[in-house]
Amino acid sequence: MTRRRTHGFDCAPGCSVEAALSLIDGKWKGVILFHLLERPMRFNEIRRKLATVTQRMLTTQLREMEADGLITRTVFAQVPPRVDYALSDLGRTLEPALHALKTWGDSNMHLFSPAPDTLNAS
Amino acid sequence: MTRRRTHGFDCAPGCSVEAALSLIDGKWKGVILFHLLERPMRFNEIRRKLATVTQRMLTTQLREMEADGLITRTVFAQVPPRVDYALSDLGRTLEPALHALKTWGDSNMHLFSPAPDTLNAS
DNA sequence: CAGCATCCCATTAGATACTG
DNA sequence: CAGTATCTAATGGGATGCTG
């Protein structure tokens, strides 16, 4: 994340936007939350969804969101180890915001994407 | 910003969330956009709203959002110089997402704020 | 007023190796 | 499987000084 742990309290109007962003910010948090919206997942399951994330990054992102109370971490005492990550009640309240972002992204991403297939498709 | 210019196109499902976040991410973009939602503003006007931002940061954030097509920059040829920043049409389409974030922030910010006045108010 | 240029330090995040 | 530890490259972002 960038502004992480910086949601300083020199809050001006508009600050709550920042506060919200500071939580879902962090290179992978948005997508992670979005995937967890669908269902709880195990560590490597999430990792596979993200493909290019390093385990170090995934760990820190998950830990931070856990600390922020957005997700829960459930360890199953078994071999091989199993750890489930799921949205907390608080995390679920982000759903509208997450969907608003996704909706926007779906509508407008093409504006920023080089649209790879149209390049050599001519 | 963090993931800035990284909305790489190894897009998995959920990626559009990232794409959207990558644009409003960046320490100040969220708040700036939010303020511009109200009305166009001049450079120092925005700066005053943000209070702790450096002009270097403000400049880069504005430039990036301009490059992303989210805001417009209008220079008035006069002395002293005047430059207005305003949301573009595209920028305006972010309004629902921005409001969703603000709504969430307003409802839940107290969870993350030390609530300064309650500290010595025992 | 609204910037740009430079210097510089703090933080971030990738790669790699090891573990219960 | 689900991590932790360490080391390092890259980036972010503050401070300061100058300009049309």
Side-chain angles (χ1 to χ4, degrees), chain B residues 29-105:
Chain B
K29 295 188 183 177
V31 227
I32 295 173
L33 288 172
F34 193 78
H35 284 303
L36 290 182
L37 220 46
E38 189 190 338
R39 60 181 175 79
M41 287 179 155
R42 305 178 54 165
F43 187 85
N44 277 343
E45 215 175 344
I46 302 175
R47 194 178 173 188
R48 250 170 271 122
K49 293 270 186 184
L50 271 37
T52 64
V53 76
T54 61
Q55 71 279 63
R56 195 174 96 83
M57 273 311 293
L58 183 52
T59 303
T60 50
Q61 301 279 296
L62 289 169
R63 287 297 186 287
E64 286 183 3
M65 293 196 290
E66 190 193 356
D68 285 335
L70 296 181
I71 63 176
T72 61
R73 180 169 178 273
T74 311
V75 182
F76 296 86
Q78 62 184 46
V79 176
R82 169 179 171 184
V83 179
D84 273 17
Y85 291 92
L87 290 183
S88 66
D89 289 343
L90 179 63
R92 293 224 161 266
T93 65
L94 271 171
E95 188 161 358
L98 251 17
H99 268 106
L101 287 169
K102 171 154 175 55
T103 300
W104 190 91

Side-chain angles (χ1 to χ4, degrees), chain A residues 1-3 9-10 13 16 18 20 23 25 27 31 35 52 68 90 93-94 101-102 104 106 108 112 114, chain B residues 1-3 9-10 13-14 16 18 20 23 25 27 31 35 52 68 90 93 101-102 104 106 108 112 114:
Chain A
M1 54 286 119
T2 300
R3 100 206 73 206
F9 309 100
D10 56 342
S16 49
E18 273 299 296
L23 296 177
D25 181 18
K27 208 169 180 180
V31 226
H35 284 303
T52 64
D68 285 335
L90 180 62
T93 65
L94 272 171
L101 287 170
K102 172 155 173 53
W104 192 90
D106 286 338
N108 302 102
F112 306 99
Chain B
M1 54 287 120
T2 300
R3 98 205 77 205
F9 309 100
D10 56 341
S16 50
E18 272 301 296
L23 295 178
D25 182 17
K27 208 171 180 180
V31 227
H35 284 303
T52 64
D68 285 335
L90 179 63
T93 65
L101 287 169
K102 171 154 175 55
W104 190 91
D106 286 339
N108 302 102
F112 306 99

